[in-house]
Amino acid sequence: MKKNILVIYYTQSGQLEDIVKNMAQPFEEKNLEYEVTYYNIQLKKDFPFPWSGDVFFNTFPESYLQIPSEILPPPEEVLNKKFDLVIFGYQVWYLTPSIPIISFLKSGFAENILKDTPVITVSGTRNMWMFSQEKLKVYLKQMQAKLVGNIALVDRHDNYTSVLTILRWMTTGKKEKSGMLPAAGVSDEEINGAGKYGRIIEKHFSANTLGALQPDLVKNGAVEIRAFLVRVEKVGNKIFKVWSGLIMRKKEKRPLLIKFFKVYLMAAIWIVSPIVLVLHLLTAPIFWFKRKKQREYLQGINIK
């Protein structure tokens, strides 16, 4: 009997779809052993792409506070089939799983699909995904899903270059190299090479050794942890908690507060972030063991 593989994702630009489909290719190639089903999450009222600046920043409070929108029901072939493995692709919006992903997780459909099922999470992001993954782990645990692996594909350029390229991509739809700026997002080489992780997954799935999957993925470069960005994420989550709460409480002042938030965010990226980097470098010898332990945890799949 064929094993059923489900690939869940949401995409606007198509990047994440390319990643997860390349990752599922080793299963597709063994079509006598596996049946692969793809489920693209769809909102009843979707977000625009390319984004206008106003809409992009206006999604911040709901994104960070994990407030869902209504989704269209998954297809019958997804609802009425028991899956043996789920590859779950997601993006990060404002240090949190995106609104479409949160909407699916809170829809009532997710638990029926994911409960008691091995899940491999796959993110395609700019660079800061670590604490978003921690939030996703909580949802999966609540649904009694079995997280067996995590793969994080990121933009490998420096933090400041990737800010410029992602804003250009999100607001103009132009991902390709332009002038002095490199192409945005995950590189084509990594997207096209995502099948190597699919082969590792298929190997462990067929051998019933999913318990050993994550160390094998990490050994093959599936999860890179940059200690400086972990620190930036921690600070960012504290700041976002204050801003999102303020904007939601002061609904009558929302447009003005969103404008202030936009200015603050840009200032934090270009002024505060370099200060954090300097402090990180100065304290590196002091916190070496702590950061090593932190890196090992974030590369894994356990939850604190």
Side-chain angles (χ1 to χ4, degrees):
M1 183 179 293
K2 288 185 179 181
K3 297 289 187 179
N4 293 316
I5 313 298
L6 177 63
V7 180
I8 300 174
Y9 63 96
Y10 170 84
T11 190
Q12 288 182 306
S13 67
Q15 174 178 270
L16 191 61
E17 182 176 33
D18 290 341
I19 289 170
V20 294
K21 286 192 173 181
N22 287 337
M23 212 167 282
Q25 192 59 35
F27 291 96
E28 294 270 23
E29 291 169 356
K30 297 186 176 182
N31 56 14
L32 296 179
E33 299 177 45
Y34 305 107
E35 183 171 335
V36 182
T37 302
Y38 295 94
Y39 167 41
N40 179 13
I41 298 166
Q42 293 183 303
L43 297 176
K44 280 198 170 181
K45 184 179 180 181
D46 206 354
F47 295 96
F49 187 83
W51 294 76
S52 69
D54 290 343
V55 175
F56 178 78
F57 287 101
N58 199 46
T59 62
F60 159 66
E62 286 78 10
S63 293
Y64 187 74
L65 296 173
Q66 301 168 52
I67 298 172
S69 296
E70 192 172 0
I71 68 168
L72 296 174
E76 291 298 319
E77 64 174 340
V78 173
L79 293 175
N80 297 328
K81 188 183 291 184
K82 175 59 181 173
F83 292 95
D84 300 290
L85 179 70
V86 174
I87 297 174
F88 193 150
Y90 76 101
Q91 308 94 342
V92 175
W93 294 2
Y94 294 105
L95 307 182
T96 305
S98 69
I99 288 177
I101 294 298
I102 291 297
S103 300
F104 167 69
L105 292 170
K106 291 188 172 183
S107 67
F109 299 115
E111 184 172 1
N112 292 333
I113 295 169
L114 301 177
K115 185 177 180 181
D116 299 325
T117 304
V119 175
I120 297 160
T121 49
V122 180
S123 56
T125 67
R126 184 174 75 87
N127 57 20
M128 286 185 276
W129 56 269
M130 286 77 76
F131 290 92
S132 179
Q133 177 71 7
E134 291 301 294
K135 296 169 188 177
L136 185 53
K137 284 180 185 178
V138 173
Y139 284 102
L140 295 176
K141 183 178 181 180
Q142 289 172 345
M143 294 175 189
Q144 300 177 51
K146 302 172 183 176
L147 180 61
V148 296
N150 177 51
I151 298 164
L153 299 185
V154 300
D155 185 331
R156 302 291 179 181
H157 294 99
D158 67 85
N159 192 41
Y160 309 107
T161 298
S162 65
V163 168
L164 295 174
T165 56
I166 198 72
L167 286 175
R168 181 194 63 188
W169 186 20
M170 293 298 100
T171 57
T172 69
K174 295 179 180 179
K175 181 181 181 181
E176 64 275 9
K177 182 179 184 298
S178 177
M180 295 182 65
L181 289 178
V186 180
S187 71
D188 289 344
E189 181 181 2
E190 289 200 64
I191 293 172
N192 296 331
K196 76 173 184 178
Y197 299 121
R199 289 188 288 275
I200 294 170
I201 295 166
E202 194 280 328
K203 178 187 72 174
H204 284 281
F205 181 72
S206 62
N208 197 28
T209 57
L210 286 176
L213 172 62
Q214 188 61 18
D216 204 357
L217 289 172
V218 172
K219 184 175 70 176
N220 283 275
V223 185
E224 177 191 17
I225 303 296
R226 303 184 205 178
F228 159 61
L229 293 177
V230 175
R231 180 60 184 164
V232 172
E233 273 205 66
K234 283 185 176 181
V235 174
N237 270 282
K238 292 177 182 178
I239 294 170
F240 282 6
K241 182 177 181 180
V242 173
W243 271 104
S244 59
L246 176 63
I247 293 168
M248 294 303 287
R249 286 195 307 273
K250 304 289 186 179
K251 295 187 188 312
E252 71 285 358
K253 295 182 179 179
R254 178 174 179 131
L256 180 62
L257 290 171
I258 290 291
K259 289 179 180 178
F260 284 151
F261 169 73
K262 178 179 178 180
V263 172
Y264 179 87
L265 183 60
M266 292 299 103
I269 290 171
W270 296 105
I271 299 172
V272 178
S273 183
I275 295 172
V276 174
L277 175 58
V278 171
L279 292 175
H280 170 79
L281 294 173
L282 290 174
T283 58
I286 300 172
F287 295 110
W288 189 86
F289 286 105
K290 180 180 179 180
R291 289 170 182 169
K292 179 176 181 291
K293 186 175 181 180
Q294 182 181 61
R295 181 178 67 252
E296 291 170 350
Y297 169 75
L298 292 172
Q299 286 181 319
I301 55 174
N302 294 327
I303 185 171
K304 288 183 178 178

